Amino acid sequence: MNLSLYGYGERDQEEEWVAVDCGMMIRQDLPDSPLQVPNLDTLTPLGIRPRALIITHGHEDHIGAAAWLWPKWGCPIWATPLAAALLRAKFVERGLTTDAIRVIEPGEAMETGPFTLRFLPVTHSIPESCALLLAAGEYRVLHTGDWKLDPEPLIGNPMSAATFRAIAPVDLVIGDSTNAPMPGHSRSEGEVAQALEHTIAHCKGRVVVSCFASNLSRVLSIGRAAQRTGRRISLMGRSMERMVGVARGLGYLDDFPALVPVSDLGYLPPNEVLVIATGSQGEPRAALSRLARGRHHAMELGAGDSVIFSAKAIPGNELMIERLKNGLRGLGATLLDEFNHPELHASGHPAQEELRTFYGWVKPRHLLPVHGEPRHQRAHCELAESLGIQAPLAPVNGDLIRLDAEGLTLEARHPQPPCIVSQNAVAPLAGLTGNRPGPRHGSLYLAISVTATGEGGWTRIGRLMLDASQSSPIDEEAFSDWIDEVLESLSGDTLAELRLALQPQLVGWFANHLRRLPEIHLQILAVEAPSATELG
């Protein structure tokens, strides 16, 4: 959930900590679509209570759980103006005081305890995104947050090579791995703007464009394209209306065209209508889903209308998105998405050439890859090693990692069961948190026979033994493929070490693929690999 904790302490002194970001995701698979937020159960026994919460940018997966977390810590929250404004709105909605939210401008620095933190502007799909340079004692760590190299970002300036060359070398980069397997360079927002205008100009009926509300560069591109192609603009979705309102208040959308109230859309000819709507991920409550079901009070879609998905599917949302698209096709609408029109979207994360360029600027000694799946992190490690950067670890949720004169060391691994909270509350829901008293949602029994590969990893031998009869059904073929991939990437000299590494990843997989998380019973058996003669 994008909650990182950084601690520093001299020998024989108590460590002091800061937290960076505090995100969430919406669990569409659970009743009433609650939120999954960081699990703080590990922190109390470890004596970790941060002196400050630092926000890198205003995306929901980086600020969405702050209103849930802050009452437990009560510490100052430092954020750039846009992220701070979005946080204040969340706090006010939940009846929380906003006094702890403090504004810092991109490029400025602050101090708290032994830490000096400088906010370094980076390009991303929301303005005011920043990397953080954390300095404590003799160490300097660069937490990149989410970023990309975009020569034409539309809002804000391109990243400054001089700024990042000036901080080189750094001891450690905590780096974005989302697009690490992707060769080349990510697409520019300027290119997407041109593609949107060209595509919208060729649409005949109503046009609905769905994108993330926080992608203000994309929202601005759509608005400009609508104006240049003779269309009037309306916004659908509460988060879209809020984001545009906050951004306008901060001067980010000064040239955005005037908006038409949703209630007036019925009076306009179809070829003059363009709607920017939430719901690109198939969220049942979002505006696009209501349009697909024919249940929006202001507008109906039909043959001749076009729906543009200017957003990439988040892994895990594919089924909901396909259900949404089937509904839109049933109305006769033409769909344009990442598959038939990839030019209508650009990622906000760096591909391989961007990573190489950036690491040439900051010259890190070590890399810790974060974000993405294990395969993204492994690709990131391989790229770093090819550049002479030490990247010995690919972390999982709950890892406690030490940086010292010897480099990076995995100190301990603390499994992180999911913590689920209501969207309208700041307390965990009974029976859905990781510390529930019993197997409320059944038990799942798993036995795996493994052998060491001789290359530092493990491989499964024989059949996977799985009993999920007391829990929600699972896709055993998908699970088998996943477990084989994970085993290859895990190191450990003993079964105990393998179990310690595998357990948190198992919890994460089942949390993402089951409606209810069962109590998981894992058994790992060591066997000899069959010889070539036996196989013959």
Side-chain angles (χ1 to χ4, degrees), residues 297-333:
H297 67 280
M299 191 175 83
E300 293 183 357
L301 291 175
D305 296 335
S306 300
V307 178
I308 297 172
F309 286 79
S310 189
K312 190 176 180 66
I314 295 174
N317 291 345
E318 293 88 353
L319 183 61
M320 291 184 296
I321 294 173
E322 192 54 37
R323 188 180 299 130
L324 167 65
K325 289 180 177 178
N326 285 337
L328 293 167
R329 292 187 188 103
L331 298 175

Side-chain angles (χ1 to χ4, degrees), residues 416-455:
Q416 300 292 296
C419 183
I420 310 296
V421 303
S422 166
Q423 290 207 35
N424 299 315
V426 291
L429 295 177
L432 288 176
T433 59
N435 58 355
R436 55 181 180 269
R440 172 187 172 102
H441 301 305
S443 299
L444 184 145
Y445 298 88
L446 173 64
I448 307 173
S449 300
V450 300
T451 188
T453 62
E455 301 176 358

Side-chain angles (χ1 to χ4, degrees), residues 276-510:
I276 309 176
T278 57
S280 65
Q281 302 303 303
E283 301 95 320
R285 297 179 178 179
L288 193 56
S289 287
R290 295 201 304 274
L291 286 170
R293 297 193 301 269
R295 295 181 180 175
H296 199 285
H297 67 280
M299 191 175 83
E300 293 183 357
L301 291 175
D305 296 335
S306 300
V307 178
I308 297 172
F309 286 79
S310 189
K312 190 176 180 66
I314 295 174
N317 291 345
E318 293 88 353
L319 183 61
M320 291 184 296
I321 294 173
E322 192 54 37
R323 188 180 299 130
L324 167 65
K325 289 180 177 178
N326 285 337
L328 293 167
R329 292 187 188 103
L331 298 175
T334 299
L335 304 188
L336 302 91
D337 59 19
E338 61 183 295
F339 303 107
N340 56 19
H341 285 273
E343 73 278 8
L344 298 176
H345 175 64
S347 173
H349 305 272
Q352 290 177 358
E353 286 307 309
E354 293 160 273
L355 291 168
R356 290 190 180 95
T357 298
F358 185 66
Y359 293 154
W361 295 346
V362 300
K363 303 188 183 307
R365 297 185 176 94
H366 302 87
L367 167 77
L368 194 65
V370 295
H371 305 336
E373 303 295 328
R375 68 182 183 89
H376 301 91
Q377 295 181 354
R378 288 198 301 273
H380 200 172
C381 287
E382 291 169 4
L383 183 146
E385 295 282 1
S386 74
L387 298 174
I389 303 165
Q390 297 183 48
L393 300 174
V396 299
N397 291 333
D399 279 2
L400 184 62
I401 296 168
R402 180 175 296 276
L403 170 67
D404 56 22
E406 303 300 318
L408 292 172
T409 306
L410 177 61
E411 292 278 301
R413 179 157 281 167
H414 302 278
Q416 300 292 296
C419 183
I420 310 296
V421 303
S422 166
Q423 290 207 35
N424 299 315
V426 291
L429 295 177
L432 288 176
T433 59
N435 58 355
R436 55 181 180 269
R440 172 187 172 102
H441 301 305
S443 299
L444 184 145
Y445 298 88
L446 173 64
I448 307 173
S449 300
V450 300
T451 188
T453 62
E455 301 176 358
W458 297 81
T459 187
R460 178 166 62 93
I461 299 294
R463 183 171 166 270
L464 190 72
M465 291 166 279
L466 177 67
D467 181 3
S469 59
Q470 299 181 35
S471 67
S472 301
I474 70 169
D475 183 338
E476 292 193 26
E477 183 176 349
F479 176 68
S480 296
D481 292 343
W482 175 83
I483 200 75
D484 289 341
E485 180 182 350
V486 170
L487 284 171
E488 289 178 6
S489 68
L490 295 180
S491 58
D493 297 330
T494 67
L495 291 184
E497 291 178 356
L498 176 61
R499 180 189 180 89
L500 192 64
L502 181 58
Q503 185 78 27
Q505 297 208 35
L506 279 174
V507 171
W509 193 92
F510 286 121

Side-chain angles (χ1 to χ4, degrees), residues 24 60 63-64 82 85-94 213-214 216 235-250 253 259 278:
M24 62 80 179
E60 284 293 294
I63 69 170
L82 177 59
L86 297 171
L87 281 170
R88 286 195 191 97
K90 287 178 174 293
F91 276 43
V92 169
E93 273 189 356
R94 287 162 174 77
S214 58
L216 291 175
L235 304 180
M236 280 189 185
R238 182 181 173 192
S239 61
M240 185 69 69
E241 293 170 356
R242 172 191 287 175
M243 183 64 70
V244 169
V246 170
R248 278 181 147 174
L250 293 171
L253 297 176
L259 293 171
T278 57

